[in-house]
C-alpha cells in the first residue's frame, strides 16, 4: 500500500487551497469573544483558513482541556462573518461526527493521536462512514517515527480520505533544547521524497514554542519548499489558556506574513548545470572514499576477530569524534552535521565488523 498513496489536491468543496497554504488562529477556542476578536485580526492579515482547538489533548490532567462542542457554533460564526474556512483538531469518532455536523471545513489530527493506531483507525472509520470529502492534515507523531506517521496517513487513505496533507510540528526531546519540539527536518523531507504529491505544512509554533522563533522557522520551512504554514495567533497571547508563549498577536501575524519571502520562481533549466555537475562529481568521490573506508574497516574487523578484541572501542570512537568535529568546525561545517555523519559511518562499520564475526562462527 505504501507506494500507492495518491492524494487529491487539497480543496474545500470545490475551492482549491492555493499554495502556500496559510492556516492561523488560536491554540484553543476559549470564549466566543476571544474567537471572534482573533478571527477578525487573522482575516485582516489575509489568512483564508482559521484554526482553533476545541478538544485539547493535554500532557497532564488539570490543564485547560478545551471548551468542547460548545465552541463549534463560534467557529460557524467565524465562517459566516469573515468568510474564512475553519479547522479544528479531532481525536475520536465523536469529535469527527460533531465537527462534520457543525460544518467544520478541515480537520487536523494531533501529534499524540497520530502516535496511536487505534485512535487513527477510529477516526478513519468515522470519516469513511460519513462519506464526506473533508481535507485532513496529519501531524507527525510526538516521537520521530516516520513509519508511524506514514501508517496514520495510510489508514486514512485506505478509508477513502484522499484530500490529505501533513503537518510537521517537530518531535519531543528530553532535556533542554532551543526548540519545544525538535524539527529533525530530515524526517519531513524524507516524507516529501517518498510522496511528492502530499502537501507538507510546517507548524513553527509547536516546533519553536517561543514567539521569537516563529519568524525564522517559517522562513526556513518556506525556503525548504514546504507547502504552507500553520501558525498560532491569539488576540491577547499573554492571557491564553494554552501555549501562551508561542502565540502571536494578529498584528505580529500580519507583519510576519507580509515579510516572508516565497520562493516560487521556476529554475531556468540550464542555469544550474555546471554547479550540479560539480556536485555529481564530488558525490562520486565521496562514495569512492566511503567504499575504501569500509573496506579498511572490514580488514580491521578481521584483525579484531583473530585477536579476540571487541568490535567497539569507545575511547577510539570518542577520539575520532572529537578530532573530526574540531576539523569540521575549522572547515566551516556545523558540529551537529558532523555528528550525524560520523554516527552513520560508525554504525555501518560496526555492522560490517559484527557481520564478519558472525560469518566465521
Ligand atoms: C495544537 O495544534 O494546538 C496541538 C495540540 O498541537 P500538537 O498536536 O502538535 O501538539
Ligand atoms: Mn497549541
Amino acid at each position: 500500500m505504501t507506494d500507492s498513496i495518491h492524494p487529491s489536491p487539497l480543496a474545500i468543496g470545490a475551492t482549491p487551497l492555493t499554495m502556500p497554504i496559510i492556516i492561523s488562529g488560536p491554540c484553543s477556542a476559549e470564549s466566543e469573544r476571544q474567537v471572534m476578536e482573533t478571527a477578525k485580526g487573522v482575516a485582516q492579515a489575509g489568512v483564508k483558513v482559521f484554526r482553533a482547538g476545541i478538544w485539547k489533548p493535554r500532557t497532564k490532567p488539570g490543564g485547560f482541556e478545551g471548551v468542547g462542542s460548545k465552541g463549534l457554533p463560534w467557529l460557524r460564526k467565524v465562517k459566516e462573518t469573515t468568510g474564512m474556512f475553519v479547522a479544528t483538531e479531532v481525536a475520536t469518532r465523536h469529535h469527527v461526527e460533531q465537527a462534520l455536523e457543525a460544518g467544520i471545513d478541515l480537520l487536523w489530527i494531533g501529534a499524540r493521536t497520530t502516535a496511536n493506531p487505534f485512535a487513527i483507525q477510529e477516526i478513519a472509520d468515522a470519516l469513511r462512514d460519513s462519506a464526506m470529502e473533508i481535507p485532513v492534515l496529519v501531524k507527525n507523531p510526538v516521537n520521530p517515527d516516520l513509519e508511524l506517521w506514514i501508517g496514520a496517513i495510510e489508514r486514512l487513505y485506505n478509508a477513502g480520505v484522499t484530500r490529505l496533507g501533513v503537518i510537521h510540528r517537530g518531535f519531543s526531546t528530553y532535556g533542554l533544547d532551543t526548540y519545544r519540539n525538535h524539527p529533525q527536518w530530515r524526517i519531513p523531507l524524507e516524507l516529501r521524497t517518498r510522496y511528492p504529491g502530499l502537501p507538507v505544512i510546517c507548524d513553527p509554533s509547536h516546533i519553536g514554542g517561543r514567539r521569537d522563533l516563529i519568524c525564522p522557522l517559517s522562513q526556513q520551512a518556506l525556503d525548504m519548499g514546504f507547502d504552507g504554514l500553520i501558525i498560532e495567533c491569539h488576540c491577547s497571547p499573554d492571557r491564553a489558556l494554552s501555549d501562551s508563549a508561542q502565540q502571536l498577536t494578529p498584528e505580529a501575524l500580519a507583519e510576519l506574513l507580509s515579510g516572508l519571502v516565497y520562493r516560487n520562481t521556476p529554475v531556468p533549466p540550464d542555469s544550474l548545470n555546471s554547479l550540479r555537475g560539480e556536485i555529481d562529481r564530488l558525490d562520486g568521490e565521496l562514495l569512492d572514499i566511503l567504499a575504501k573506508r569500509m573496506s579498511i574497516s572490514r580488514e580491521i574487523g578481521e584483525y579484531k576477530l583473530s585477536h579476540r578484541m571487541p568490535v567497539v572501542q569507545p575511547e577510539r570512537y570518542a577520539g575520532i569524534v572529537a578530532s573530526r568535529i574540531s576539523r569540521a568546525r575549522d572547515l566551516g561545517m556545523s558540529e551537529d552535521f558532523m555528528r550525524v555523519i560520523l554516527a552513520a559511518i560508525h554504525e555501518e562499520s560496526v555492522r560490517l565488523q559484527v557481520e564478519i564475526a558472525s560469518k566465521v562462527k
Side-chain angles (χ1 to χ4, degrees):
M1 185 69 226
T2 304
D3 293 326
S4 55
I5 294 179
H6 300 290
S8 328
L10 280 181
I12 295 173
T15 313
L17 292 178
T18 48
M19 308 284 169
I21 299 166
I22 307 291
I23 303 172
S24 185
C27 177
S28 305
E30 299 167 5
S31 67
E32 181 169 344
R33 196 200 56 78
Q34 167 252 4
V35 166
M36 296 313 298
E37 196 176 326
T38 307
K40 206 169 97 199
V42 167
Q44 264 166 15
V47 172
K48 302 281 182 282
V49 186
F50 182 74
R51 65 149 285 158
I54 294 283
W55 300 283
K56 299 301 298 176
R58 305 316 299 273
T59 301
K60 287 188 177 160
F64 174 61
E65 294 189 328
V67 291
S69 53
K70 84 166 190 224
L72 290 168
W74 307 340
L75 294 186
R76 189 182 279 277
K77 196 163 165 196
V78 168
K79 256 171 96 147
E80 286 162 4
T81 56
T82 67
M84 286 188 290
F85 293 116
V86 290
T88 201
E89 172 173 344
V90 289
T92 66
R93 169 180 280 273
H94 190 53
H95 295 164
V96 171
E97 289 167 355
Q98 288 185 288
L100 293 178
E101 164 102 35
I104 299 291
D105 301 295
L106 181 150
L107 303 176
W108 84 81
I109 294 174
R112 293 157 193 80
T113 308
T114 305
N116 178 350
F118 288 127
I120 292 289
Q121 193 58 54
E122 181 182 314
I123 294 168
D125 292 342
L127 285 162
R128 175 195 273 131
D129 296 347
S130 80
M132 302 258 289
E133 282 199 272
I134 187 163
V136 179
L137 302 178
V138 184
K139 286 199 170 195
N140 62 262
V142 277
N143 51 327
D145 184 339
L146 179 57
E147 297 309 322
L148 194 57
W149 197 0
I150 290 175
I153 299 162
E154 283 184 8
R155 281 178 198 279
L156 291 158
Y157 188 76
N158 292 349
V161 180
T162 62
R163 298 182 179 198
L164 276 170
V166 301
I167 299 174
H168 170 45
R169 50 78 80 197
F171 302 92
S172 299
T173 45
Y174 180 70
L176 289 179
D177 195 342
T178 313
Y179 303 104
R180 177 176 175 197
N181 291 292
H182 204 278
Q184 304 204 34
W185 299 105
R186 260 185 310 150
I187 297 175
L189 294 182
E190 167 74 21
L191 186 64
R192 287 184 65 212
T193 312
R194 286 212 221 166
Y195 302 102
L198 189 66
V200 185
I201 291 172
C202 179
D203 176 345
S205 310
H206 290 89
I207 293 177
R210 277 181 12 210
R211 232 157 274 157
D212 60 313
L213 292 175
I214 312 299
C215 180
L217 281 165
S218 300
Q219 188 61 60
Q220 195 178 349
L222 292 179
D223 291 348
M224 284 195 238
F226 277 71
D227 302 291
L229 300 167
I230 176 165
I231 300 174
E232 287 188 340
C233 175
H234 190 291
C235 56
S236 342
D238 292 336
R239 274 187 272 148
L241 299 181
S242 60
D243 290 353
S244 156
Q246 69 195 34
Q247 304 206 57
L248 300 179
T249 59
E251 296 70 34
L253 175 76
E255 196 183 321
L256 164 74
L257 294 179
S258 64
L260 289 173
V261 179
Y262 301 103
R263 299 191 186 202
N264 48 11
T265 315
V267 181
D270 298 329
S271 57
L272 284 174
N273 276 356
S274 87
L275 288 173
R276 285 185 168 156
E278 190 120 335
I279 289 281
D280 291 347
R281 190 181 56 72
L282 287 170
D283 279 355
E285 280 179 28
L286 262 177
L287 288 174
D288 289 344
I289 290 176
L290 276 174
K292 221 180 271 172
R293 194 186 190 285
M294 290 306 160
S295 118
I296 294 175
S297 223
R298 267 194 213 96
E299 268 181 55
I300 294 179
E302 274 152 22
Y303 180 92
K304 286 177 182 167
L305 179 66
S306 61
H307 291 77
R308 294 181 167 253
M309 282 169 70
V311 164
V312 180
Q313 260 99 45
E315 334 68 61
R316 162 78 181 147
Y317 182 57
I320 288 183
V321 172
S323 72
R324 300 334 179 235
I325 282 181
S326 136
R327 174 138 167 75
R329 245 193 253 118
D330 293 344
L331 292 168
M333 287 185 287
S334 87
E335 178 170 335
D336 283 355
F337 168 62
M338 203 31 57
R339 274 190 201 284
V340 170
I341 299 276
L342 291 171
I345 293 176
H346 185 244
E347 199 177 310
E348 179 62 2
S349 297
V350 169
R351 190 188 67 76
L352 289 174
Q353 296 188 0
V354 169
E355 192 177 75
I356 292 168
S358 68
K359 272 191 192 141
V360 172
K361 262 185 215 152

